[in-house]
Amino acid sequence: MEEKTGEVVSAALLAQRVGWCADLVAGMVGSILTEHWNAADVARLASGVDMTGRPLPSNAWMALRRLGWNAAPPEGIKVNDRVVRMAQEQAGRTLRSAHWCADVVAGIVTTWPNNPDRRNPQEWDAVRGAIEGGRDLPGSVIKGRTRQILAFLTAEDRLPADVFELEGVPRVARMLLLAACDGQQATITRDETNPRSVLLRLQLPARTSYRDWSWVAVPLAIPATVPAEGALHLPTLRMGGGRVYADLAFTHGVPKTARAGHMVALGVDWGLNTLLSAGAVRRGGEGRIRALGAGAQFRAAGVLAKQHRLRRLSEKLHTKTAQYERLKDGRERLQRTPDAVLEARNAVLAEELRRVNARRSHLNDALAVSAARWAVDQAIASGATVIYVEDLRSMEAKGMGRSLNARLSQQARGAIVHHMRHLAAEAG
């Protein structure tokens, strides 16, 4: 609802106005990244101190201002300082994350193996030792970066100097990080009568001009997973498919996790058809371990079958779109006019590929959350205070046939462990 006039704002108009604001922010983010996407500036930001030696603030937008990395909207467009904050926060987070990528690429380049396709044990030890935290880094990350560097070597006949030469300026997402703002740009309050409803108020550009900004009140429904006593924080607004999505963060108290002194533990083992197998054990006297029950299994055969079917469909669509691109490039080299039928078919296939990939992503996310929730529930039911998960970070999906290799590499083990850590922390 438009607070000044009382006019009800439709969902389409709200998405349009949020999109306008997101485009303004994305433009400023792009200008910051273009100017500072280099090794020296990223290292300066990652060092945690400014030019005078003072510690940089933890907030990315404040750190960028301390360093003098400012941004401004296009000429003729008026925005308040909080909109600039959102742009600096998003750019600062991207630049901070680039430091880790730069460290990985530098470690691989300095220990470049004789045969990039197959490192020997000594070369694996060398590359892991050259990367900070490389001992715990999954081998797939190192192999993926190695293939990327190898492609650069094949094209340029030399190794890249750093990740900034290897990759261009990253694509800017259309989002609004309202956490970087204060009450002059956005506020959020919980409904006193209905704890499952909150009211988000924010300033958005009006439909007539970017110069005019007005307050818009947007009601949001809170899912049941958010506790009533949780403290809500300003969300991140994302654009997708003509709709606005709000990623709402909240904090609440949880039991303190102990690092030692556990008597009951849950062990979780990975499988292929049976995704997870779990069993609880109790530590007794003299170091004896006693199993509690027969254990349990998390079977998602139907979901996994659908996942593999979508993967095969995605591969076929990708092959077709690649063939259309080759035909298109061939006509351009021969200086022929574009084929309208070919362009139309390519556009249809590209859109279908995008939708299939989106379905695969949503399915993987749902499966990861469900599997993690199941594992934590098993720990709670058995009275366990710690969960041990089989470590497969060094496992490489190769040498077991094309189909089995693909099934192993497509499992969302990292996402499951990530959600498991989050859910387990809530239970202490």
Side-chain angles (χ1 to χ4, degrees), residues 95-145:
L95 292 173
R96 279 177 169 172
S97 64
H99 177 70
W100 179 83
C101 298
D103 185 43
V104 173
V105 171
I108 296 174
V109 171
T110 55
T111 59
W112 189 249
N114 296 324
N115 183 8
D117 294 329
R118 187 181 293 276
R119 287 183 172 88
N120 58 42
Q122 292 76 21
E123 290 171 337
W124 272 110
D125 292 338
V127 69
R128 290 188 180 278
I131 301 173
E132 183 179 358
R135 298 298 174 187
D136 300 323
L137 189 66
S140 59
V141 175
I142 298 177
K143 293 183 65 177
R145 286 292 181 178

Side-chain angles (χ1 to χ4, degrees), residues 319-371:
T319 302
K320 288 184 178 181
T321 54
Q323 176 64 13
Y324 279 132
E325 289 294 334
R326 286 192 291 269
L327 293 174
K328 178 182 175 182
D329 294 341
R331 295 185 67 88
E332 291 178 353
R333 285 195 298 269
L334 296 175
Q335 297 181 352
R336 295 181 180 179
T337 57
D339 189 337
V341 177
L342 183 66
E343 294 284 349
R345 289 180 177 177
N346 191 22
V348 171
L349 284 177
E351 176 63 19
E352 181 64 19
L353 178 61
R354 185 193 66 80
R355 293 181 178 181
V356 170
N357 290 337
R359 290 176 63 189
R360 292 181 63 194
S361 178
H362 294 325
L363 189 62
N364 281 335
D365 291 341
L367 180 61
V369 173
S370 179

Side-chain angles (χ1 to χ4, degrees), residues 218-239:
V218 183
L220 300 176
I222 302 179
T225 53
V226 180
E229 67 278 5
L232 303 179
H233 306 285
L234 287 172
T236 296
L237 301 184
R238 298 181 292 106
M239 301 298 302

Side-chain angles (χ1 to χ4, degrees), residues 68-387:
W69 300 356
N70 299 314
E75 186 178 356
I77 297 179
K78 179 181 178 182
V79 300
N80 62 39
D81 183 65
R82 280 74 187 171
V83 178
V84 180
R85 284 187 193 179
M86 288 190 286
Q88 290 176 314
E89 180 71 22
Q90 185 175 349
R93 294 182 183 183
T94 303
L95 292 173
R96 279 177 169 172
S97 64
H99 177 70
W100 179 83
C101 298
D103 185 43
V104 173
V105 171
I108 296 174
V109 171
T110 55
T111 59
W112 189 249
N114 296 324
N115 183 8
D117 294 329
R118 187 181 293 276
R119 287 183 172 88
N120 58 42
Q122 292 76 21
E123 290 171 337
W124 272 110
D125 292 338
V127 69
R128 290 188 180 278
I131 301 173
E132 183 179 358
R135 298 298 174 187
D136 300 323
L137 189 66
S140 59
V141 175
I142 298 177
K143 293 183 65 177
R145 286 292 181 178
T146 301
R147 287 192 292 266
Q148 186 182 19
I149 297 171
L150 185 60
F152 183 92
L153 176 62
T154 304
E156 303 292 336
D157 198 24
R158 63 179 179 86
L159 292 173
D162 48 40
V163 70
F164 309 100
E165 185 180 29
L166 185 64
E167 299 178 352
V169 178
R171 183 178 63 87
V172 180
R174 299 178 67 203
M175 63 170 59
L176 299 179
L177 296 174
L178 299 180
C181 305
D182 55 18
Q184 297 189 36
Q185 174 65 29
T187 63
I188 187 169
T189 55
R190 194 189 292 266
D191 193 326
E192 296 180 357
T193 59
N194 183 9
R196 294 299 172 196
S197 177
V198 298
L199 185 66
L200 173 65
R201 299 175 60 251
L202 70 158
Q203 287 199 66
L204 293 174
R207 72 177 74 181
T208 55
S209 172
Y210 283 111
R211 299 174 181 270
D212 301 326
W213 293 68
S214 59
W215 284 95
V216 178
V218 183
L220 300 176
I222 302 179
T225 53
V226 180
E229 67 278 5
L232 303 179
H233 306 285
L234 287 172
T236 296
L237 301 184
R238 298 181 292 106
M239 301 298 302
R243 302 179 64 182
V244 181
Y245 297 89
D247 297 331
L248 184 62
F250 66 94
T251 56
H252 65 104
V254 298
K256 186 177 180 180
T257 302
R259 298 185 61 88
H262 302 286
M263 301 303 295
V264 180
L266 183 77
V268 179
D269 180 77
W270 299 104
L272 188 57
N273 296 318
T274 302
L275 186 58
L276 296 178
S277 300
V281 296
R282 180 185 297 276
R283 186 179 65 181
E286 300 179 356
R288 293 180 178 273
I289 303 296
R290 182 167 58 89
L292 302 178
Q297 295 179 339
F298 179 83
R299 303 182 65 90
V303 177
L304 293 176
K306 183 176 182 180
Q307 184 185 61
H308 298 317
R309 179 178 62 81
L310 290 175
R311 174 183 57 81
R312 291 191 293 268
L313 179 58
S314 176
E315 292 172 351
K316 291 180 180 179
L317 291 173
H318 183 76
T319 302
K320 288 184 178 181
T321 54
Q323 176 64 13
Y324 279 132
E325 289 294 334
R326 286 192 291 269
L327 293 174
K328 178 182 175 182
D329 294 341
R331 295 185 67 88
E332 291 178 353
R333 285 195 298 269
L334 296 175
Q335 297 181 352
R336 295 181 180 179
T337 57
D339 189 337
V341 177
L342 183 66
E343 294 284 349
R345 289 180 177 177
N346 191 22
V348 171
L349 284 177
E351 176 63 19
E352 181 64 19
L353 178 61
R354 185 193 66 80
R355 293 181 178 181
V356 170
N357 290 337
R359 290 176 63 189
R360 292 181 63 194
S361 178
H362 294 325
L363 189 62
N364 281 335
D365 291 341
L367 180 61
V369 173
S370 179
R373 181 74 266 176
W374 176 86
V376 175
D377 286 344
Q378 292 295 319
I380 295 174
S382 60
T385 56
V386 62
I387 300 176

